[in-house]
């Protein structure tokens, strides 16, 4: 079985593998200790200097949720200020304002954290309208493909290698110079299965009438055993440029937006062809979600406990598109509440440091007991020139570190060796012609609003599943809404 090495994800910066905040804390503590010794050259002054240096080293090395304390201090301060100022609680003004005859349709109000989003319709390749999320602030269009899941781990090694080679070609194509693709995002949702599809299929195809006693008993038994089953859905979101900035004003803006949409549809067609080569099927023809389907998707992800109402809306002929965005928001310290659902969000700062097989996600995707889990991975291509310069800089720094340890007879830890191997592997992949990508991963889970005990249980289940999969989850206190938005198919989350 072929294994793949994904981690560690350590990034070398101006101060090696230390962040600027950690270096600033250590430097300030050292300067303060020297000042105390100079001002008070006594035993008490020396003890105070040692205490200051020890406190600085502790703060420099301290981690909370696998992240240094310098990551939490600014975000915690912002959370407290905004919470006291009421900026973390939002209610939509649309339900109370109504509509007028002069303005029969009002644009949906959005919380400021969502940005300026709008679902637009672009003509697709097969005549179906293609739904795209237009982000005015980021000047981008995001299209979504629904991919039909297949058991990759059940394929023989030769088929797996061929499929991975095709995906690698797709990555190189998307990262080509001049490509309109900015980012690519994979979103995998695990949701409770509302309808037993096998029972529905048998009800349609059985030759005997469903009312027959033995047949009815068999269908009821199958339907009862299917309760609690989970449905797994995979979406591929692609972000492209929208309106050129120099043309964002005037009457030509709508025309330029449609032209950008046509470019996005063409790029999605290219992705569809690669998927067909890799024997990965997409749903609904070319697979691009329509504006109505995209509205349903966002509405379901924001409040999945209203699925029955959404399903009834789908059955009504001529029913309007559902509102894709929430009407109420409460961004608390350990969760974010959107309408009738509480969402928990994690950031995955590191990946498995050992080689893993194709099914390494199963602990989180298939074996996790939490009923509503979303896993999102966002990728951004890096230019080959910049990636090679960063790889050379990293190799030089790592080799200097090795020589320094050898000269001073310092021990090289397994973590140091893993970082060095990672740099060498990245440089080798670039030399072999592979494209360079930056990526981040996020996980979110949903529970009914106000279910505190359920929320605690789901958090334990998700974090346990992440550890079994070799992931390092970081629960994002005070940043729940920001990281939940990173699990929506909006291609956000790059750091």
């Amino acid at each position: 079985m072929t294994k793949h090495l994904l981690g560690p994800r350590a990034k070398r910066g101006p101060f090696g593998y230390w962040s600027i905040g950690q270096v600033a804390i250590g430097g300030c503590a050292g300067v303060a200790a020297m000042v105390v010794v100079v001002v008070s050259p006594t035993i008490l002054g020396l003890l105070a200097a040692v205490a200051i240096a020890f406190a600085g080293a502790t703060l420099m090395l301290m981690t909370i949720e696998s992240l240094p304390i310098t990551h939490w201090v600014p975000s915690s301060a912002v959370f407290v200020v905004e919470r006291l100022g009421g900026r973390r609680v939002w209610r939509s003004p649309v339900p109370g304002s109504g509509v007028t005859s002069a303005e029969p349709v009002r644009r949906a109000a959005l919380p400021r954290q969502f940005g300026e989003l709008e679902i637009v319709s672009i003509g697709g390749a097969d005549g179906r309208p293609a739904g795209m999320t237009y982000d005015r602030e980021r000047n981008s269009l995001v299209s979504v493909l629904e991919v039909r899941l297949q058991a990759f781990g059940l394929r023989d090694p030769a088929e797996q290698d061929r499929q991975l080679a095709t995906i690698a070609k797709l990555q190189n194509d998307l990262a080509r110079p001049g490509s309109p693709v900015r980012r690519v995002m994979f979103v995998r949702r695990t949701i409770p299965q509302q309808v037993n599809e096998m029972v529905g299929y048998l009800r349609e195809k059985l030759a005997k009438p469903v009312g027959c006693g033995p047949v009815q008993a068999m269908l009821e038994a199958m339907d009862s055993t299917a309760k609690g089953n989970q449905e797994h859905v995979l979406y591929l979101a692609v972000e492209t440029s929208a309106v050129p900035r120099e043309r964002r004003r005037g009457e030509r803006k709508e025309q330029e937006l449609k032209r950008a949409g046509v470019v996005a549809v063409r790029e999605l067609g290219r992705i569809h062809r690669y998927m067909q080569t890799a024997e990965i099927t997409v749903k609904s023809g070319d697979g691009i979600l329509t504006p109505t389907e995209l509205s349903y998707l966002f509405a379901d992800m924001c409040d999945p406990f209203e699925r029955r109402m959404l399903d009834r809306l789908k059955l009504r002929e001529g029913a309007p598109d559902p509102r894709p965005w929430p009407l109420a928001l409460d961004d608390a310290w350990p969760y974010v509440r959107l309408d009738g659902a509480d969402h928990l969000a994690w950031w995955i700062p590191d990946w498995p440091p050992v080689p893993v097989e194709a099914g390494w996600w199963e602990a989180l995707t298939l074996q996790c007991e939490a009923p509503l889990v979303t896993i999102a991975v966002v990728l951004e291509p890096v230019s080959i020139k910049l990636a090679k310069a960063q790889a050379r800089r990293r190799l030089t720094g790592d080799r200097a570190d090795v020589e320094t340890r050898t000269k001073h007879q310092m021990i090289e830890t397994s973590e140091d060796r893993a970082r060095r191997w990672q740099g060498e592997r990245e440089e080798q992949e670039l030399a072999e012609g592979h494209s360079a990508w930056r990526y981040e991963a996020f996980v979110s889970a949903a529970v009914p609003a106000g279910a505190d005990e359920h929320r605690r249980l789901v958090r334990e289940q998700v974090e346990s599943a992440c550890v079994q999969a070799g992931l390092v989850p970081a629960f994002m206190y005070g940043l729940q809404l920001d990281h939940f938005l990173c699990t929506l198919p909006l291609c956000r989350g790059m750091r």
Side-chain angles (χ1 to χ4, degrees), residues 468-494:
Q468 293 177 30
L471 300 172
V472 181
F475 190 72
M476 305 308 294
Y477 290 103
L479 298 170
Q480 289 290 297
L481 178 57
D482 295 336
H483 287 78
F484 167 74
L485 291 176
C486 295
T487 62
L488 296 180
L490 297 173
C491 293
R492 296 182 180 179
M494 294 305 305

Side-chain angles (χ1 to χ4, degrees), residues 50-91:
V50 171
I52 293 174
F54 180 77
T58 302
L59 292 176
M60 183 177 176
L61 301 176
M62 181 184 296
T63 59
I64 301 176
E65 293 289 332
S66 305
L67 298 175
I69 196 171
T70 54
H71 175 89
W72 296 106
V73 173
S75 61
S76 301
V78 171
F79 176 84
V80 171
V81 172
E82 292 187 348
R83 189 72 181 181
L84 293 176
R87 303 188 66 189
R88 294 277 174 156
V89 179
W90 178 85
R91 298 291 183 272

Side-chain angles (χ1 to χ4, degrees), residues 68-315:
I69 196 171
T70 54
H71 175 89
W72 296 106
V73 173
S75 61
S76 301
V78 171
F79 176 84
V80 171
V81 172
E82 292 187 348
R83 189 72 181 181
L84 293 176
R87 303 188 66 189
R88 294 277 174 156
V89 179
W90 178 85
R91 298 291 183 272
S92 175
V94 174
S97 59
V99 296
T100 63
S101 58
E103 189 183 17
V105 178
R106 292 199 58 177
R107 183 181 168 187
L110 282 172
R112 60 179 180 84
Q113 294 90 340
F114 277 68
E116 297 185 20
L117 301 177
E118 180 183 358
I119 296 179
V120 298
S121 178
I122 305 294
D126 59 352
R128 297 173 66 249
M132 300 184 186
T133 307
Y134 175 38
D135 191 336
R136 285 180 170 80
E137 292 183 357
R138 302 185 65 244
N139 188 33
S140 64
L141 287 173
V142 180
S143 312
V144 181
L145 291 170
E146 184 176 357
V147 182
R148 195 178 298 274
L149 288 175
Q150 295 175 338
F152 179 80
L154 299 180
R155 296 175 178 268
D156 59 59
E159 290 182 350
Q160 291 183 1
D161 293 341
R162 182 173 58 84
Q163 197 169 25
L164 290 175
T166 305
I167 297 300
K169 293 179 180 179
L170 172 60
Q171 283 187 310
N172 292 338
D173 193 1
L174 295 178
R176 70 188 186 276
S179 172
V181 175
R182 289 184 182 177
R183 293 176 181 175
V184 177
M185 186 177 192
F186 294 93
V187 180
R188 173 161 180 159
R189 300 188 66 206
T190 300
I191 53 181
Q193 194 173 32
Q194 298 290 332
V195 180
N196 192 335
E197 296 181 359
M198 182 177 294
V199 173
Y201 177 81
L202 292 177
R203 288 181 185 275
E204 294 180 1
K205 301 298 181 180
L206 281 177
K208 291 186 177 182
V210 177
C212 179
V215 175
Q216 184 67 25
M218 180 190 68
L219 294 178
E220 291 179 357
M222 294 176 60
D223 204 8
S224 62
T225 56
K227 291 183 179 179
N229 284 359
Q230 293 178 328
E231 180 181 355
H232 304 277
V233 188
L234 178 64
Y235 298 97
L236 172 62
V238 181
E239 182 186 54
T240 56
S241 300
V243 184
R245 296 191 180 276
E246 64 274 9
R247 299 181 180 177
R248 295 181 68 179
R249 297 181 180 179
E251 298 179 355
R252 295 192 59 187
K253 177 180 177 180
E254 297 297 331
Q255 299 177 359
E256 292 293 341
L257 185 60
K258 291 182 179 180
R259 185 179 303 174
V262 171
V263 173
V265 170
R266 185 167 61 245
E267 200 67 24
L268 289 170
R270 183 193 299 267
I271 295 174
H272 189 194
R273 289 191 292 273
Y274 273 102
M275 287 186 172
Q276 288 179 331
T277 304
E279 297 181 0
I280 300 175
T281 58
V282 296
K283 297 183 178 180
S284 302
D286 58 2
I288 307 176
L289 297 187
T290 64
T292 302
E293 293 171 339
L294 200 57
S295 298
Y296 277 109
L297 175 61
F298 281 118
D300 190 27
M301 296 187 73
C302 290
D303 189 0
F305 302 102
E306 293 293 335
R307 295 193 71 199
R308 292 185 177 179
M309 183 191 70
L310 293 176
D311 291 339
R312 288 196 299 268
L313 186 63
K314 288 181 182 179
L315 298 176

